[in-house]
Amino acid sequence: MTERAETSADSDLSLANEAETRRSADSSERAYNIIRKLLVEFKLKPGERINEVQLSRSLGVSRTPIREALNRLASEGFVSLTPNRGFFVRSLSTEGLLDLYELRSIIESAAFKLMCERAEDSEIDRLRQYWEAIVDGYRDQPPDIILAEDEGFHLLIAELSGNPELVGQLASINARIRFIRRIQIEHPSHDKAQITSHSAIVEAAVKRDAENGAKLLREHIEMTVSATQQALKDALLKVFAPDNGADLKRRRRARDA
Amino acid sequence: MTERAETSADSDLSLANEAETRRSADSSERAYNIIRKLLVEFKLKPGERINEVQLSRSLGVSRTPIREALNRLASEGFVSLTPNRGFFVRSLSTEGLLDLYELRSIIESAAFKLMCERAEDSEIDRLRQYWEAIVDGYRDQPPDIILAEDEGFHLLIAELSGNPELVGQLASINARIRFIRRIQIEHPSHDKAQITSHSAIVEAAVKRDAENGAKLLREHIEMTVSATQQALKDALLKVFAPDNGADLKRRRRARDA
DNA sequence: CGTCAAGAAAGTGTCGACACTATTGCGTTC
DNA sequence: GAACGCAATAGTGTCGACACTTTCTTGACG
């Protein structure tokens, strides 16, 4: 069932981020990317136990790189490890997602303030340029591109804060909520508001209006949260009831610690 | 040199935290704790390459659990992995430390605000009780206890924020700066200010004065930063020049990306 | 005397195998 | 017929070995 992971998955996945520790095109790295993709696309379902042997067979490598990848994913919060029972897919319950968005909001607004204090004028201008370069065709891009551009925008703010730890944190959060953001982006209702938000944020940055910009960011992120809840329900429904979307009452999955 | 890791290290290390994924008393977990202890105590020196075979010999296990532990530590930022060259101890340069403290400050003040908004009265009271229970003997405890109590205090605030992601982040940050905090605690100059800080923070919590409490926390943390810089210098000196503390000019270590 | 190259040594990345733990299925007993 | 325990199965945790890469050593050449 989880067999036959698409083998072309190792290339296009790491769109944007991960300012962390880098690796090469090892088996281990490849496994990490593929498994993470399986996770964010719900090919591996929330709450499910991960069978290392199956995975190693379907990826064509031994269990060692699989386990290394899973350990890494456990540190990043994608999966959890119960001692002699194995790795489990951590189900992002609704609250879990909201917690993540809240953390993101905290970090981003803090990053914005720091950027206002510290960044060079030329750097602020880079942010402006970045946004202006993509704003025109923004709505017309495919979802993956929109997502990458959006993440890039926010990551750039984090970078201009001058604190690499913030960048790392944000990148890690992004990876965990990427799947839901992609779903959201496909609800076209949101794009317009997103564009005006970003423009307003850039404007605040140019003025170095830390308070207002931070507030805009908070609102920008929190605005998406309600839509997120619906998107999450849709996603879970799609996962647990791929065809018959009828009896959604009985689907009481997504229970997590 | 790094041989003979103290074998009694697996018990007392995990003082406080790690609300993350849990494991058992596996070899892997044991290795993780021991290696992390070696790292925070500078037994493994910043910038140094970590020899897996040596480590596995000195811990009496094979390389597999060693590598799992190192992967975990890499995700947490303690070490870095260069593809075919191995794991390296990430040297916490001065800026790196300041970045971490800044992140900590951001998260803690945000947590305080959220706690003020959300926590039950009884929970706030738990914070008050926690602090009152330890404040009397605070100064007289051994450093490790003081450190654990201090971390516990701040972690409790994070818990009362109601956002487990904040707890996890803070726990992870704590682990990375623990070594320097321990050194700081041994400079007795600081205790007094710390005690009054904590008391003031509790007071603000009881009044649910989010703004003031967050400000106090920021100051409380930033206050330690200048002391931290000196403490870091001392620590590095001790590490790289264990006996002859004379020519500190030539020690140009702690260079990091 | 310094530079470079080839070979030797050391070290990482991955594998298959085995021991031990958890789980499942079956038969026994009340 | 249900609960319990026991055996069989499935799955994780760890090991030692080997291939391949990097690093060090040695020796030849300019």
Side-chain angles (χ1 to χ4, degrees):
Chain A
M1 189 168 271
T2 52
E3 305 283 65
R4 222 34 313 125
E6 50 272 81
T7 329
S8 67
D10 51 339
S11 58
D12 56 43
L13 186 56
S14 59
L15 338 147
N17 49 8
E18 220 61 44
E20 290 289 287
T21 290
R22 235 41 318 267
R23 290 154 202 244
S24 76
D26 291 327
S27 270
S28 181
E29 172 76 359
R30 216 177 65 90
Y32 171 81
N33 282 325
I34 296 179
I35 296 172
R36 198 168 84 167
K37 184 165 188 180
L38 292 177
L39 287 168
V40 301
E41 290 179 352
F42 285 126
K43 299 271 169 59
L44 291 170
K45 304 208 169 77
E48 200 176 74
R49 181 177 182 167
I50 296 177
N51 189 322
E52 299 173 9
V53 182
Q54 261 181 19
L55 255 184
S56 75
R57 278 203 202 112
S58 66
L59 300 200
V61 294
S62 90
R63 276 174 55 226
T64 310
I66 300 283
R67 283 183 62 85
E68 293 204 352
L70 286 173
N71 268 292
R72 219 174 132 190
L73 290 164
S75 281
E76 292 167 14
F78 284 98
V79 301
S80 64
L81 173 53
T82 315
N84 278 307
R85 297 175 17 91
F87 293 89
F88 291 80
V89 181
R90 256 187 63 164
S91 53
L92 264 185
S93 61
T94 307
E95 317 98 73
L97 253 190
L98 296 187
D99 290 337
L100 264 181
Y101 269 100
E102 188 168 83
L103 176 58
R104 185 185 150 207
S105 172
I106 290 166
I107 288 182
E108 291 214 30
S109 59
F112 187 91
K113 286 185 196 168
L114 292 175
M115 174 185 74
C116 285
E117 288 173 26
R118 295 180 189 158
E120 308 280 339
D121 285 343
S122 62
E123 291 178 315
I124 300 274
D125 207 58
R126 248 173 63 213
L127 179 68
R128 191 183 54 74
Q129 285 172 17
Y130 180 95
W131 177 239
E132 287 183 359
I134 60 178
V135 64
D136 284 333
Y138 193 69
R139 287 187 56 127
D140 308 323
Q141 305 283 346
D144 281 347
I145 304 294
I146 293 181
L147 184 51
E149 287 174 345
D150 182 56
E151 284 190 8
F153 179 79
H154 290 275
L155 271 180
L156 185 51
I157 292 176
E159 277 161 28
L160 298 186
S161 79
N163 187 335
E165 294 293 337
L166 291 183
V167 181
Q169 291 300 331
L170 185 57
S172 165
I173 295 167
N174 278 342
R176 287 174 66 188
I177 60 178
R178 188 173 295 141
F179 74 99
I180 201 76
R181 290 176 84 184
R182 176 148 50 186
I183 293 169
Q184 252 175 252
I185 282 173
E186 283 164 6
H187 284 238
S189 59
H190 236 259
D191 295 359
K192 200 73 159 282
Q194 221 181 15
I195 288 176
T196 58
S197 279
H198 281 187
S199 296
I201 289 163
V202 168
E203 203 181 332
V206 171
K207 289 189 201 153
R208 305 226 177 208
D209 187 346
E211 286 308 323
N212 192 38
K215 184 159 144 281
L216 284 170
L217 266 169
R218 257 196 305 277
E219 289 168 357
H220 170 51
I221 294 169
E222 276 160 21
M223 188 179 61
T224 66
V225 166
S226 57
T228 296
Q229 288 178 295
Q230 188 56 48
L232 178 65
K233 278 185 201 147
D234 292 356
L236 287 176
L237 193 65
K238 222 187 306 185
V239 171
F240 288 114
D243 24 49
N244 61 334
D247 55 340
L248 56 157
K249 262 87 172 202
R250 302 182 53 206
R251 315 275 165 195
R252 268 290 160 265
R253 278 340 206 300
R255 38 95 182 100
D256 196 15
Chain B
M1 190 169 272
T2 50
E3 307 281 67
R4 225 35 311 127
E6 51 272 81
T7 328
S8 68
D10 49 340
S11 58
D12 56 40
L13 185 56
S14 58
L15 340 145
N17 52 3
E18 219 63 45
E20 291 288 288
T21 290
R22 239 28 333 256
R23 291 153 200 242
S24 76
D26 292 326
S27 268
S28 182
E29 172 76 358
R30 218 178 63 91
Y32 171 82
N33 283 325
I34 295 179
I35 296 173
R36 198 168 84 167
K37 185 165 187 182
L38 292 177
L39 286 168
V40 302
E41 289 181 351
F42 284 128
K43 299 269 168 63
L44 291 170
K45 302 205 169 77
E48 197 174 74
R49 180 177 183 167
I50 295 178
N51 189 323
E52 299 173 9
V53 182
Q54 261 181 19
L55 256 184
S56 75
R57 280 206 201 110
S58 66
L59 299 200
V61 294
S62 90
R63 276 174 55 225
T64 310
I66 300 284
R67 282 182 65 85
E68 293 204 351
L70 287 172
N71 269 293
R72 220 174 132 191
L73 290 164
S75 282
E76 293 168 13
F78 284 99
V79 302
S80 63
L81 172 55
T82 314
N84 277 307
R85 296 176 17 89
F87 292 89
F88 292 78
V89 181
R90 255 186 63 164
S91 52
L92 264 185
S93 60
T94 306
E95 316 98 72
L97 253 191
L98 296 187
D99 289 337
L100 265 181
Y101 269 101
E102 189 169 81
L103 177 58
R104 185 186 150 206
S105 172
I106 290 167
I107 289 183
E108 291 215 31
S109 58
F112 187 90
K113 287 185 195 167
L114 292 175
M115 175 184 76
C116 286
E117 290 173 26
R118 295 181 188 157
E120 309 281 341
D121 284 344
S122 63
E123 292 179 315
I124 300 273
D125 206 57
R126 248 174 63 213
L127 179 68
R128 191 183 54 75
Q129 284 171 17
Y130 180 95
W131 176 239
E132 286 185 358
I134 60 178
V135 64
D136 282 334
Y138 194 69
R139 286 187 57 129
D140 308 324
Q141 305 285 345
D144 281 348
I145 303 295
I146 293 181
L147 184 50
E149 288 174 344
D150 182 57
E151 283 190 9
F153 179 79
H154 290 274
L155 271 180
L156 185 52
I157 292 176
E159 278 161 27
L160 298 186
S161 79
N163 188 334
E165 293 293 337
L166 291 184
V167 181
Q169 290 301 331
L170 185 56
S172 164
I173 295 167
N174 278 343
R176 288 174 66 190
I177 59 178
R178 189 172 295 143
F179 74 99
I180 201 76
R181 289 175 86 185
R182 176 146 53 187
I183 292 169
Q184 252 176 251
I185 282 172
E186 283 167 2
H187 285 236
S189 56
H190 238 259
D191 296 357
K192 199 74 159 283
Q194 223 181 9
I195 289 177
T196 58
S197 280
H198 281 187
S199 296
I201 289 164
V202 168
E203 202 180 336
V206 171
K207 289 189 202 154
R208 304 220 179 217
D209 187 346
E211 287 308 322
N212 191 39
K215 185 162 144 280
L216 283 171
L217 265 169
R218 258 196 305 279
E219 289 168 357
H220 171 50
I221 294 169
E222 275 159 20
M223 188 178 63
T224 65
V225 166
S226 58
T228 296
Q229 288 179 295
Q230 186 56 48
L232 178 65
K233 277 185 201 149
D234 292 355
L236 287 176
L237 193 64
K238 222 189 298 184
V239 170
F240 288 114
D243 24 49
N244 60 333
D247 53 342
L248 58 155
K249 263 85 172 202
R250 302 181 56 204
R251 316 273 163 195
R252 269 288 163 269
R253 277 339 205 299
R255 40 100 180 88
D256 195 16

